[in-house]
Amino acid sequence: MGLLLKIVNAYKNPSANETAAENQLLTDDIVVATDRLESIVERIYNESGRIERASGNVLTMSESILRNQTEALDGVETLTHFLQTVQHRAEDTSAQAKTMRETNASLEEDLRHATKALDHTSETFTSLFENTMRTTQSIHFLLEQMKHIAEIQKLLKTMVEETSTLAMNASIEASHADATGRSFAIVADRIKELADQGRRNLLDIDPLLHNIQSTSREVLTVLDKNRSLIAANKQELGDSHRFLGQVQGRFDVLEQIISENETSCLKQVETVQNMTGQLSHLLNKSKESTQLASDVQSISASQNNIVRQLLEASKHLTDISDEFSVVVKQHSDPAEIIDNPQFTIDTFAQWKSQMEAWASREDLLCSSPDALQEIFQAWMSETAALEAIWLNNADGDFLHSLPPAGILNAKRRQWFTGALQDGFYISAPYISAITKRPCVTISTYLVDKDGTCGVLGADIHCNVIEE
């Protein structure tokens, strides 16, 4: 800014006493200022382009974020509704589990009563079986006694028949006897009558004995069948008892499952409630993010408009700078080219080798400005003819310069483009507009270990042979 003020004041307040040397100095200052203006305009244009691209990216990202946030909001609302549905179903399941547990408890109580009833029925069947066995034994004993009675009856029949025969013989013998024999005949007749009556009574006993034996055998058959049925029923009762025991065990397992399900449902309800709260918080944050994305989109659109205006202004400045450069070059003496510099081929080879040696440092492009300052100071201390040295990246930006560079970007400089194209550049000897001494500009292309490229440049003082 001070240099521009100096130039403006010189043109506003011209002095008649100014010498040609002073005019030349002023012209040199104008050239330097023009270079700086061109560099600034180009830097503005480049940075505006970067800002425009970044703004476009931000705008695109904002639109994408806005769409994603909208989809996320819809998804969160759907998920919240789903979780609420899950919560209601979990609560219903918990209530059903409670009802099932109560029903299960009632069924277990009924099962216990049924088990007790089965136990009582089993005891009854056992007692009935034992009574049947005892009855069977008694009937068998009765049948054995009936056999003895039948034998006694048979014996009695034999005795009655013999008595009847004896009485009949006695009666026949008494009919041949006297009065004493007739009395014996009466007794014999009476004995015969008794024997006949005994025979008739014995004959009446036969069907009774037969009926008793037949009925007893029928009762034995029925008792045997009942004993078999009782044994089968008792077996079935045992099976039923075991089945009820298994059912009781399954009811216990079911009770445990119902209890675990109820606990799980309660935990699920609690988890769903926590997730619903978190989703509500996330929903609020998503709405805030959506609003923020919308604001960023608006700001990006406004920034894009400003950048476009800045680019238009930069184009106008570039046109003005080009016109200014043309005018300055038309009204200024061309840079003086030294016809007789003391810069031989050997000197050229020496400096080319030196520049390549300096550029071979792999850490040069990734060094900080402070580290580059130390490196450049060391090189200038070791090399008397070294007037200036600088380092640019592939975009022409100055990473560091000693002394500080008068321009911001070197993309339009011949020493920069020449080094990028050919790998090495050396200018014709000229009078420096800054130091006012004869020098040459040397630049070389370099690449570091990561593949990053740049340009290392230097101004070298050269002596002039006196004519």
Side-chain angles (χ1 to χ4, degrees), residues 3 50 59 105 114 118 122 133 153 157 161 205 218 236 246 283 313 324 332 363 377 411 424 467:
L3 181 58
R50 292 179 184 175
L59 186 61
L118 283 175
S122 179
M133 290 296 296
Q153 183 188 16
K157 282 182 178 181
E161 289 176 354
I205 290 173
E218 291 177 357
E236 291 179 357
Q246 294 175 357
L283 186 61
F324 186 51
S332 63
D363 61 340
Q377 283 180 346
K411 189 177 285 186
F424 188 82
E467 295 182 355

Side-chain angles (χ1 to χ4, degrees), residues 85-283:
T85 303
V86 171
Q87 180 179 354
H88 294 325
R89 290 181 179 176
E91 291 173 350
D92 293 341
T93 304
S94 178
Q96 292 174 2
K98 184 177 179 180
T99 304
M100 289 178 64
R101 190 172 65 251
E102 294 174 354
T103 304
N104 188 55
S106 177
L107 289 174
E108 284 184 341
E109 185 66 24
D110 295 341
L111 189 62
R112 282 193 290 271
H113 289 305
T115 303
K116 289 181 180 179
L118 283 175
D119 291 338
H120 180 69
T121 304
S122 179
E123 293 174 357
T124 302
F125 271 109
T126 301
S127 176
L128 183 61
F129 183 79
E130 292 175 354
N131 291 334
T132 301
M133 290 296 296
R134 285 195 294 270
T135 302
T136 301
Q137 292 174 358
S138 298
I139 291 175
H140 279 295
F141 178 75
L142 179 61
L143 288 174
E144 290 294 329
Q145 296 300 317
M146 290 297 295
K147 289 179 181 179
H148 292 301
I149 291 173
E151 291 176 356
I152 293 172
Q153 183 188 16
K154 186 177 181 181
L155 180 62
L156 288 175
K157 282 182 178 181
T158 302
M159 292 176 63
V160 167
E161 289 176 354
E162 290 178 354
T163 302
S164 178
T165 301
L166 181 62
M168 185 176 64
N169 293 329
S171 178
I172 294 171
E173 292 296 333
S175 63
H176 298 292
D178 54 10
T180 306
R182 285 193 292 271
S183 298
F184 182 75
I186 294 170
V187 172
D189 290 336
R190 183 62 181 164
I191 291 172
K192 186 177 180 302
E193 291 176 358
L194 291 174
D196 292 337
Q197 184 178 0
R199 185 169 52 253
R200 287 192 299 271
N201 289 333
L202 288 173
L203 290 174
D204 291 335
I205 290 173
D206 282 339
L208 293 175
L209 288 174
H210 179 73
N211 289 335
I212 291 172
Q213 288 176 343
S214 177
T215 302
S216 296
R217 289 190 181 92
E218 291 177 357
V219 170
L220 281 175
T221 302
V222 172
L223 287 175
D224 288 338
K225 291 181 179 180
N226 287 340
R227 188 172 65 250
S228 300
L229 291 174
I230 290 171
N233 288 332
K234 188 175 181 181
Q235 180 66 32
E236 291 179 357
L237 283 174
D239 295 339
S240 299
H241 194 277
R242 285 191 299 274
F243 175 73
L244 286 177
Q246 294 175 357
V247 172
Q248 178 68 38
R250 291 174 182 175
F251 270 114
D252 293 338
V253 174
L254 181 61
E255 172 67 22
Q256 183 179 359
I257 293 174
I258 292 173
S259 179
E260 292 176 354
N261 286 339
E262 185 178 14
T263 303
S264 176
C265 286
L266 293 175
K267 289 182 179 179
Q268 187 176 7
V269 169
E270 183 180 359
T271 302
V272 169
Q273 289 175 347
N274 293 333
M275 290 182 65
T276 303
Q278 294 176 1
L279 283 175
S280 298
H281 179 70
L282 180 61
L283 186 61

Side-chain angles (χ1 to χ4, degrees), residues 46 71 73 87 156 165 216 229 244 310-311 314 325 340 398 409 421 435 437 439 452 462 465:
N46 293 334
E71 294 176 359
L73 285 175
Q87 180 179 354
L156 288 175
T165 301
S216 296
L229 291 174
L244 286 177
L310 185 60
L311 285 173
S314 177
S325 297
N340 55 351
F398 281 84
N409 190 279
Q421 293 175 0
T435 63
R437 298 202 306 171
C439 66
T452 305
C462 58
I465 302 174

